[in-house]
Amino acid sequence: MTVSGTDPATVETVELRIPRKAEWVAVARLAVAAIASRMHFTIEEIEDVKLAVAEACTNAIQSADASNQIHIVCEADHAHLRVTVANANIEGAPAGAPPAPVEDDVRVDGLGVFLIRSLMDDVEYEVHPERGTHLVMIKRLAS
Amino acid sequence: MTVSGTDPATVETVELRIPRKAEWVAVARLAVAAIASRMHFTIEEIEDVKLAVAEACTNAIQSADASNQIHIVCEADHAHLRVTVANANIEGAPAGAPPAPVEDDVRVDGLGVFLIRSLMDDVEYEVHPERGTHLVMIKRLAS
Amino acid sequence: MDIKVNVRETDGDCNIVELAGEIDVYTSPKVKDALGELIDRGVYNLVIDLEKVRYIDSTGLGVLIGGLKRVREHGGTVNLVCTNPQIKKIFDITGLVKIFGIYDSEDAAMKASV
Amino acid sequence: MDIKVNVRETDGDCNIVELAGEIDVYTSPKVKDALGELIDRGVYNLVIDLEKVRYIDSTGLGVLIGGLKRVREHGGTVNLVCTNPQIKKIFDITGLVKIFGIYDSEDAAMKASV
Ligand SMILES: Nc1ncnc2c1ncn2[C@@H]1O[C@H](COP(=O)(O)OP(=O)(O)O)[C@@H](O)[C@H]1O
Ligand SMILES: Nc1ncnc2c1ncn2[C@@H]1O[C@H](COP(=O)(O)OP(=O)(O)O)[C@@H](O)[C@H]1O
């Protein structure tokens, strides 16, 4: 995968895999907040990244997909944080049951993706027929 | 790998990979604290796990080893958190330079491992000739 | 990482729902249940105090919107108490400031509920 | 995730080193440098205030022990201010309570330094 938006010479990668379940999203959120904090983003920017990554995880959980993990890749260089969120499977593990239907009576469609687009500087969906949807988002450090 | 000490039927796995550098240990610490918090460990127990995992990362960084990542696997069931800390490599990436010699004038040898043994309920070194040292530690939830 | 829900009756006909913690995909069902229970009991004027909420995501917003829709069917109101700039920003960005009353104190939110 | 170091002179001949934040493998070199600078300048009675330290690991303990070893060569002392139970526990477990003076306030630590 090319690291568009980050400098391959200096990029540092943190990878996280969580079970594809609502109760683990907070772990992803806090890990990504720690990464953004290490990169010296402002408190407001850290909150932005935290919410955007959580929304991407929530989408991954609510999508009609039988994968059992969420795979989060954070690539940091001196000027950007690039986060990729994708559904994944533990190799060899049986696929989990498909997620329960979303039972919100008010499903504000698009609010999650709208927030991600508002809070991050660059957002892309990479649709891989084999590997599912990858949501890629970039936050730039003020220089 | 068998999951000794955790129940394979209900175990949930969170995996983290960080660069093998001092500045990323805080990210591992905070992620593991979030996991322990999600499992409803007490605040004191969360601090214990946090410090133990950080000490394991510090050892991994200070060991004479050319790997460029630390691989942390957290396995949670209803009664235990099992954390494995190991050196690892990004596949295909060139091995990093060996770490700088530890320049503490006072190197209190064994303090890290001593703390890990004091703070966790079960600690094992799995030495793999090929894959390096895996430190495995278990904290039990009070029932 | 969890949410606490505390419901208080007031002298007027509104109830104060005080939320503390984080409202996300994991915890928002608990908030939804608490609001649903009140509305089922015929409480249609709600003040939701978000002062102790450190984090809210789109599922949390969805639950608040769902509550508002239900009470409006009975001529009710949802007024929010919120001064946390990051959380106010989320209501701003999404345009929800226009559909909720957002106040700086429980008193102000209660006065608006009358 | 970072450490702040603030050095204050006092009326007596000791200096107060106030640390705030987290002392770990990344930040402890900064603490080591600050202590080293003081000792190089001939300050051998140190009060290290850990009240705003939320976290310390073995590398942080190593830096404190290193400072103590250096000032002892000059008949100096290191007294700590610490009431955080989790951090006191680390000094307990490791037996370091026996080699550092640990006090509840800067005043008490300064009196012990005389
Ligand atoms: N990472 C992903 N994997 C699979 N599907 C996704 C992913 N992200 C978003 N989607 C799909 O896009 C749809 C729209 O998402 P979104 O606009 O955020 O809706 P909402 O805010 O209601 O969650 C989701 O219902 C989901 O099916
Ligand atoms: N995960 C690991 N990978 C490689 N070597 C390790 C690992 N953990 C510990 N070691 C080795 O064990 C030695 C002793 O560690 P430890 O007793 O904790 O010393 P200290 O407290 O001084 O760091 C370390 O110096 C390191 O070489």
Side-chain angles (χ1 to χ4, degrees), chain A residues 89-139:
Chain A
N89 274 299
I90 300 186
E91 248 169 280
V102 179
E103 44 101 47
D104 268 353
D105 40 5
V106 179
R107 179 120 171 82
V108 192
D109 268 323
L111 203 52
V113 165
F114 176 80
L115 280 171
I116 295 171
R117 291 195 183 277
S118 304
L119 299 170
M120 300 295 277
D121 293 315
D122 250 316
V123 181
E124 267 173 62
Y125 279 91
E126 292 176 0
V127 183
H128 302 278
E130 300 275 296
R131 290 178 295 137
T133 303
H134 289 215
L135 180 56
V136 185
M137 43 198 160
I138 292 175
K139 188 83 171 176

Side-chain angles (χ1 to χ4, degrees), chain A residues 35-46 49 79-81 121 139-142:
Chain A
I35 293 165
S37 172
R38 171 53 75 229
M39 294 175 69
H40 300 292
F41 278 104
T42 65
I43 289 175
E44 183 176 348
E45 290 165 339
I46 294 168
V49 175
H80 317 80
L81 173 61
D121 293 315
K139 188 83 171 176
R140 274 188 280 276
L141 271 167

Side-chain angles (χ1 to χ4, degrees), chain B residues 29 44 48 54-55 103, chain D residues 22 24 32 55 58 86 89:
Chain B
R29 202 159 76 213
E44 184 177 348
D48 291 350
E55 295 294 347
E103 44 101 47
Chain D
E22 307 189 340
D24 71 356
K32 188 186 166 189
Y55 176 85
S58 65
Q86 187 65 22
K89 175 176 147 183

Side-chain angles (χ1 to χ4, degrees), chain A residues 22-23 25-26 29-30 44 47-48 50-51 54-55 58 62 103-106 108 111-112 114-115 118-119, chain C residues 1 22 24-26 29 32 54-59 61-63 65-66 69-70 86 89-90 93-94 96:
Chain A
E23 66 252 51
V25 172
R29 201 160 76 214
L30 292 168
E44 183 176 348
E47 290 299 318
D48 291 350
K50 221 165 114 173
L51 181 52
E55 295 295 346
T58 298
Q62 293 176 340
E103 44 101 47
D104 268 353
D105 40 5
V106 179
V108 192
L111 203 52
F114 176 80
L115 280 171
S118 304
L119 299 170
Chain C
M1 289 160 82
E22 307 190 339
D24 71 357
V25 62
Y26 180 56
K32 188 185 168 189
R54 291 185 309 268
Y55 175 86
I56 188 165
D57 74 1
S58 65
T59 63
L61 297 177
V63 167
I65 295 165
K69 287 204 181 171
R70 284 197 60 197
Q86 187 65 23
K89 176 175 148 183
I90 303 308
I93 289 176
T94 54
L96 294 173

Side-chain angles (χ1 to χ4, degrees), chain C residues 32-82:
Chain C
K32 188 185 168 189
D33 290 348
L35 297 185
E37 215 172 279
L38 279 171
I39 298 167
D40 289 345
R41 268 174 33 211
V43 179
Y44 303 131
N45 286 311
L46 299 174
V47 167
I48 303 180
D49 186 341
L50 303 175
E51 284 299 86
K52 292 184 185 148
V53 171
R54 291 185 309 268
Y55 175 86
I56 188 165
D57 74 1
S58 65
T59 63
L61 297 177
V63 167
L64 297 181
I65 295 165
L68 180 63
K69 287 204 181 171
R70 284 197 60 197
V71 300
R72 274 194 180 161
E73 289 165 13
H74 305 273
T77 56
V78 174
N79 287 300
L80 306 178
V81 185
C82 179

